[in-house]
Amino acid sequence: MNRHIIIYILTCGCLFLYLPDVFPNKEISITHFGIEPNNGKDATLAVRNAINYCSEKKINKLIFPKGKYDFYPKLATEKTVYISNNTDGEKRITFSIDNMKNFEIDGGGATFIFHGYICPFVIKNCKNIILNNFSIDFSRTFHSEGIIKAVHKDEIEVYFPEKYPFKIENERLIFTDGKKIEYPYGSLLEYNTLKKETAYQVHDYYTGPVLKAENIGQRQVRIHLKDVKGTPGNTMVFAPNHRLCPAITIDNTQDINIANITLYHCGGMGVIAQRSKNITVNKMKVSAAQDRTVSCTADATHFANCEGKIILTDCLFENQMDDATNIHGIYMRIEKILSSTSLLLRLVHYEQYGMDIFKKGQKVELVNAQTVETYSINNVESVKRYNKEFYQVEFKENLPSALKEKDVVGSAIYPEVILKNCICQNNRARGVLLGSRTKIIVEGNKFHTPGAAIMTGGDTEYWFEQGGVSNLEIKNNIFDNCNYGVWGDAAIQIAAGSKDKRNSPRFNHNIIIENNTFNVFDPRILKVSSVDGLIFRHNKINHSTAYPAIHTTAEPFNIENSTNINIQK
Amino acid sequence: MNRHIIIYILTCGCLFLYLPDVFPNKEISITHFGIEPNNGKDATLAVRNAINYCSEKKINKLIFPKGKYDFYPKLATEKTVYISNNTDGEKRITFSIDNMKNFEIDGGGATFIFHGYICPFVIKNCKNIILNNFSIDFSRTFHSEGIIKAVHKDEIEVYFPEKYPFKIENERLIFTDGKKIEYPYGSLLEYNTLKKETAYQVHDYYTGPVLKAENIGQRQVRIHLKDVKGTPGNTMVFAPNHRLCPAITIDNTQDINIANITLYHCGGMGVIAQRSKNITVNKMKVSAAQDRTVSCTADATHFANCEGKIILTDCLFENQMDDATNIHGIYMRIEKILSSTSLLLRLVHYEQYGMDIFKKGQKVELVNAQTVETYSINNVESVKRYNKEFYQVEFKENLPSALKEKDVVGSAIYPEVILKNCICQNNRARGVLLGSRTKIIVEGNKFHTPGAAIMTGGDTEYWFEQGGVSNLEIKNNIFDNCNYGVWGDAAIQIAAGSKDKRNSPRFNHNIIIENNTFNVFDPRILKVSSVDGLIFRHNKINHSTAYPAIHTTAEPFNIENSTNINIQK
């Protein structure tokens, strides 16, 4: 092997690679590991061997000659992975990058095609990682799309193109890969085929994976679904009932730069970073392939319990089946007060299981579950994990007397957030969900979302997502006819979670909304709850007829339970 | 804690505890860990703390005062476990005994009740372990039982007692715990309610978990199932579609003694030992609770790739949903010949995934997949695991030229087996499946099984279970009206796996069957294939009318493809 390896000594370190002088940059091509682009072979073992080699030999860059590479689960790395807001469990992983630093994957414009249930990238316990310049797609999507042919009472007839194999078994519709592997669905949503966006004001049908159906020939299926609606010619999307295969998972990693990556599809989120620090996503394009309506099957990006800086710039986030981004912490619920310094804590939502969010020395906030107010900041002395749901946490100090069971505990370290020059459009649900008590800048973006474009919140009842903002600037953005769907009450919603009417306006602070353009067919521009300090000024509001007008009598500005609100219309 | 601990210094070591003098026996009661019997509280944490304590402090015996103890998954240990012939995955475990030696759990006649999806015992990497004197049951069984009320064409009406909660959702029958947890089924089997055995000549209905059904009131359900048959008054058992929660899992452990344990139920096998050495099961009783028809939902006991001695004595194995025992190795299939000394091997059956059966220094047999003949013995130099399915194995020697892809590789170390004074009856399927190339003694047992009482085999096509016998004695047993079901062709079947007609009789050797009593309504006593050397002598054959006669014209002795067969009728 060694004689085939070409080592390039670079004369300058690239961005984010601050290497010591004794350790010059070295790079190697994937072709040295027995694979060529476009040959149709499984490149999994080549990648596995290449990453191992780079890790052992401290190679800084793995290069892919441009072309197509195929990846199968067969010889992939296997790990049990807990991924926030996705589905945990034993995974097959193609690029398993663990415990590495100063390492770049340079795709050179390559196309990575994944086949079956596999996670493209899982990056864990790393420092200074770059993923650059490639695209990700799957040979068979985790969702399925069909064209609506006819709609009758409690019945809908749908045509499925050949790329969405299906069978009717025991009177039930089941999607497959054409062979043995199944692609179960959990919900249905109608899309406008031409606009590639969710149809006007449609909602999800939560059906589970066993819809009653008959094969009526010519790849058409009659599906029985109570009160189903739909417009012939539109696309009915059958969303997966899992998020097993997110594209890029980042766990407990510092300094990661994702650039020039096009994500056509994955079975979960596009980029999910958790317990990580300093994440930059630049010129990422999440978009449906030409012949599809949907890109990834959940959020384009998502950040849970991250620190440092989260920077999203010059990205396109479209067609994904959930928000463009969601930045939040995780609340653990107090299951039992064990002593004056010790709590039994529970991760309540099943998609947060296994998130080891607390460690020795961690600063945490204790939060009243009713008011979402923080009533104490404490420090963790030690953590004992019983299993992926329950943790016993010892604190350095005596806990306050106000503390009670069912209150929640979150990290008191929050990331700075910059969201700049991004386009968020034609997805399902909202634009960006922002929860961080440091500085958040949302600038120069364009939003065309079926729900709220920008939302803040947090809740202590279902998702247990820690939210609230302390310093939020929203400026120079275009809000282009948002809320054509059902996932919001205004273009911008500042809230305090699911129990909106909090007792005191202390959850959100210091918000400025200025120099934005709002194109509105729906008059609801701003909804504010539980805020102390908000300025709305110098914004331009254009009335539009892009969609049928509804909520015509609604107030543009809906303020409740807040103080120091300055709306300059 | 320490001041509450009473240390007993025993003057003699108990059986199987060969302790060095410097380390006297010590014991402790579970009550010292904050739990009392019969108080209805979750004893999980007490057990967890007790085992940790015993492990750290080298306590040799954990004692339970007689009474009832309840165990829930909530605070249980969590581990990903690969369990041969059961369902692998992330498990909650009550008694997780890992890396301990010289340790006994003395149940003192206690009743252990498990609630939900939990594995009672997983014993891994241990030496010299005793489990003694307790019973295991679950508050909600993984299977469900209903009384057949009526049978029509393609329909059956079944009454489910309250202990089997169910719902009809989307026209589908789903079993639950009465709350949110589901108990999915995969197949149905009819039982004679009074005899507590499978109904005469019935077969499994493999249905999957979504049978079409209507609730017809009074806890009765009409189920649609093509060609269903059944007798009103009989019990229809809905078997789980998984084996997630076997009762006692033993992995990579040496010298284990299971004694005086009553197993009423678990969701998988009763005792499953793999890659372990010297296992004794004495006076174990696997039996259905009084108000049930079925005990555990798979084999009562099962041994995969074990070594040393397997001793089963004075046990009762009844009502379980598969065999009383199955002793075999595992064949890995040659996926690819990588070099003259290196193979890519695959575990093919999904219930064998993760079985790390080979290690450095292991002696293995290379086996022709067509003839099941061993053509070479080789030695393992190293093993690289790609994932739970694929392994790269390097051998010390050059591999033989006869070797070809799709042939199989198994361990060449086999256990001695003693099965003595056991009762195997009223289960589903066979009695005992025996595959080991050393000495096997089957003596003084009683069999009343719906399939063959004793079977040998092995196959290279579906189960990939390594079999064959070299020295099998079957003496002084009673075969009492076996084959009243569909799982066999004779009381004793000596075969070579699924491809019965092998080219040469080399798979089984040296079998003696003597001084047994056969009570037969079905004349088929012995079926022999691929055997070199068998004596059948001094056996008593009593004709019976216990069941309707079928196969009346069949030969009692069916010999094919064998040599040196001596049948003395």
Side-chain angles (χ1 to χ4, degrees), chain A residues 45 48-49 73-78 80 82 90 92 170-172 210 212 335 344 384-390, chain B residues 45 48-49 73-78 80 82 90 92 170-172 210 212 335 344 384-390:
Chain A
L45 207 51
R48 199 166 171 171
N49 290 336
K74 180 175 168 178
L75 295 177
T77 300
E78 188 173 67
T80 295
Y82 301 97
E90 188 182 78
R92 296 286 168 96
N170 197 11
E171 297 178 16
R172 269 21 197 185
V210 287
K212 186 176 178 180
E335 182 77 7
L344 180 65
K384 178 180 178 179
R385 174 180 169 151
Y386 285 112
N387 48 48
K388 65 183 177 182
E389 282 178 83
F390 290 95
Chain B
L45 207 51
R48 200 166 168 169
N49 291 335
K74 181 175 168 178
L75 295 176
T77 299
E78 189 173 66
T80 295
Y82 301 97
E90 190 182 77
R92 295 287 168 92
N170 197 13
E171 297 180 15
R172 265 31 193 175
V210 288
K212 186 176 179 179
E335 182 77 6
L344 180 64
K384 178 180 180 181
R385 173 178 168 151
Y386 284 113
N387 49 47
K388 65 183 177 182
E389 282 177 83
F390 290 94

Side-chain angles (χ1 to χ4, degrees), chain A residues 205-230:
Chain A
Y205 298 97
Y206 291 100
T207 62
V210 287
L211 274 168
K212 186 176 178 180
E214 298 106 41
N215 194 332
I216 55 176
Q218 296 183 305
R219 300 195 62 80
Q220 292 188 41
V221 172
R222 183 181 301 118
I223 296 164
H224 298 259
L225 178 57
K226 195 165 160 48
D227 297 331
V228 66
K229 289 178 183 152

Side-chain angles (χ1 to χ4, degrees), chain B residues 311-529:
Chain B
I311 302 172
L312 303 171
T313 48
D314 298 306
C315 294
L316 170 64
F317 300 126
E318 65 179 7
N319 312 131
Q320 71 276 0
M321 287 211 75
D322 216 336
D323 315 313
T325 199
N326 182 348
I327 297 168
H328 65 90
I330 292 171
Y331 286 133
M332 295 191 79
R333 194 169 68 185
I334 298 171
E335 182 77 6
K336 198 170 179 183
I337 299 168
L338 301 171
S339 76
S340 62
T341 59
S342 176
L343 299 175
L344 180 64
L345 298 180
R346 176 179 206 160
L347 289 165
V348 185
H349 194 274
Y350 70 97
E351 282 178 347
Q352 293 166 348
Y353 287 173
M355 289 298 96
D356 299 331
I357 55 174
F358 298 145
K359 57 191 176 190
K360 183 179 166 70
Q362 177 102 32
K363 195 164 83 165
V364 304
E365 53 181 42
L366 305 183
V367 175
N368 182 309
Q370 294 300 311
T371 64
V372 210
E373 280 177 70
T374 297
Y375 55 79
S376 178
I377 299 287
N378 289 71
N379 292 282
V380 172
E381 175 62 36
S382 68
V383 178
K384 178 180 180 181
R385 173 178 168 151
Y386 284 113
N387 49 47
K388 65 183 177 182
E389 282 177 83
F390 290 94
Y391 296 69
Q392 184 172 330
V393 178
E394 296 284 331
F395 294 88
K396 283 204 172 72
E397 318 82 6
N398 278 338
L399 293 163
S401 58
L403 183 133
K404 58 187 188 301
E405 288 175 6
K406 307 298 174 199
D407 275 356
V408 296
V409 188
S411 167
I413 310 292
Y414 325 96
E416 278 185 58
V417 178
I418 297 171
L419 176 74
K420 212 164 169 177
N421 300 333
C422 293
I423 299 173
C424 306
Q425 64 185 13
N426 299 13
N427 58 311
R428 178 188 163 282
R430 288 74 49 106
V432 296
L433 273 59
L434 304 173
S436 176
R437 306 284 175 80
T438 53
K439 193 165 179 59
I440 303 178
I441 298 174
V442 181
E443 185 178 3
N445 306 285
K446 186 199 157 197
F447 297 96
H448 174 61
T449 52
I454 297 173
M455 237 178 160
T456 79
D459 83 282
T460 58
E461 290 144 15
Y462 181 74
W463 289 103
F464 291 86
E465 292 184 0
Q466 179 195 32
V469 295
S470 294
N471 191 346
L472 169 61
E473 287 183 24
I474 300 172
K475 54 189 181 188
N476 302 323
N477 301 283
I478 298 172
F479 296 88
D480 184 37
N481 290 298
C482 297
N483 286 305
Y484 56 93
V486 298
W487 297 277
D489 297 323
I492 299 173
Q493 278 181 254
I494 310 297
S498 44
K499 284 194 180 166
D500 264 351
K501 292 181 195 255
R502 302 293 177 184
N503 292 326
S504 56
R506 295 180 187 169
F507 196 64
N508 299 292
H509 300 263
N510 303 330
I511 298 163
I512 183 159
I513 303 169
E514 64 183 356
N515 297 322
N516 301 283
T517 299
F518 293 86
N519 300 327
V520 292
F521 74 95
D522 179 339
R524 300 172 303 169
I525 288 171
L526 181 62
K527 184 175 178 181
V528 167
S529 178

